[in-house]
Amino acid sequence: MNAKLIQVAAFYKFIELKDLPKIQKVVFKFLSSKNIFGTVLLADEGINGTVAGTKKSIKSFHSFLDQNNLLSTANFKTSFCQENPFPRLKVKLKNEIVSIGNKLANPEKIIGEYVQPEDWNNLISQEDVLVLDTRNTYEFSIGTFKKSIQPETTNFREFPDWVDGLEASGIDKNNKVAMFCTGGIRCEKASSLMKAKGFKNIYHLQGGILNYLEKVDEKNSLWQGECFVFDDRVALNHNLE
């Protein structure tokens, strides 16, 4: 694999899946045949993963997902790197494609309102908006948006407890909450949970931080620092490098 041509794809789709072992074999066989490395998670609720390969092979994988009804174009994001960030290929079966551990969180039934990257600055600049970083404390420490808060969670499964505490504090559930995460998937679960608990005005950044960094010019950006990613690259700057 030519290091100069390595493309990384982060993707997910919430969709009801059946016969997971069969899907696992098909996905693994295809990725192996294209010399693509990384991790793919499969669960009853959908697919989630980050993989790396040549630009041509990632394009083929994009088509493969589309042909098998596993592609959400808005949630398939790519970037480039100089070295292969994954040592091997893993396709795993899980209970959830992003673990929150609370059945109230069901993105196929209810989610917050998507906000496009081009509209995000205007939303989070409003004084009456709570800007919520749903990632963990380590990710938050590397980079985040101006005036955001973080629930002081070290694991996403702690998020429901934080929401319970928010309810117990007597917060007005009509308040606007604008949440974000790396690629958008955690916000699908987080916004779904908060909507299910009666919070009315929940917004989340479509495609997450990665989409924002791609679409918003650095001179207009409200992002501060770098974006932590779950592979050997560790973090990306505003140019997704």
Side-chain angles (χ1 to χ4, degrees), residues 170-181:
I171 190 172
D172 186 348
K173 290 187 176 181
N174 291 305
N175 288 351
K176 294 179 183 177
V177 178
M179 61 174 64
F180 63 92
C181 57

Side-chain angles (χ1 to χ4, degrees), residues 45-56:
E45 64 180 6
I47 185 170
N48 175 28
T50 307
V51 295
T54 64
K55 187 174 181 178
K56 181 179 179 180

Side-chain angles (χ1 to χ4, degrees), residues 170-240:
I171 190 172
D172 186 348
K173 290 187 176 181
N174 291 305
N175 288 351
K176 294 179 183 177
V177 178
M179 61 174 64
F180 63 92
C181 57
T182 307
I185 189 170
R186 276 178 282 188
C187 286
E188 302 269 6
K189 286 283 185 82
S191 73
S192 181
L193 176 66
M194 293 188 75
K195 292 286 286 187
K197 283 181 165 288
F199 289 84
K200 307 297 183 186
N201 298 300
I202 304 296
Y203 305 88
H204 50 121
L205 178 59
Q206 174 81 60
I209 301 161
L210 296 178
N211 197 26
Y212 179 89
L213 298 182
E214 178 185 347
K215 299 286 178 58
V216 176
D217 194 287
E218 188 170 5
K219 68 176 183 294
N220 299 321
S221 177
L222 297 182
W223 177 259
Q224 298 175 320
E226 296 186 332
C227 178
F228 178 85
V229 288
F230 297 89
D231 55 58
D232 287 351
R233 294 172 297 169
V234 182
L236 301 181
N237 62 21
H238 207 288
N239 296 317
L240 296 176

Side-chain angles (χ1 to χ4, degrees), residues 37-136:
F37 299 94
T39 299
V40 177
L41 306 180
L42 295 166
D44 294 338
E45 64 180 6
I47 185 170
N48 175 28
T50 307
V51 295
T54 64
K55 187 174 181 178
K56 181 179 179 180
S57 65
I58 295 300
K59 184 178 180 180
S60 296
F61 182 53
H62 184 279
S63 298
F64 168 85
L65 292 175
D66 192 21
Q67 292 164 5
N68 288 277
N69 196 29
L70 296 172
L71 176 68
S72 171
T73 303
N75 298 317
F76 188 97
K77 298 300 172 189
T78 59
S79 57
F80 288 93
C81 61
Q82 293 299 312
E83 297 180 0
N84 185 2
F86 301 108
R88 64 185 67 87
L89 171 63
K90 294 179 284 185
V91 181
K92 301 179 178 180
L93 303 185
K94 294 284 189 178
N95 292 325
E96 299 179 84
I97 55 174
V98 58
S99 297
I100 195 171
N102 189 302
K103 294 188 181 298
L104 285 176
N106 186 343
E108 287 196 84
K109 288 187 176 180
I110 186 172
I111 55 172
E113 182 177 335
Y114 290 119
V115 179
Q116 297 303 316
E118 296 84 355
D119 302 319
W120 182 249
N121 285 358
N122 180 58
L123 175 63
I124 67 173
S125 296
Q126 297 173 26
E127 291 187 5
D128 62 340
V129 173
L130 172 68
V131 184
L132 177 61
D133 190 334
T134 65
R135 304 171 305 152
N136 65 42

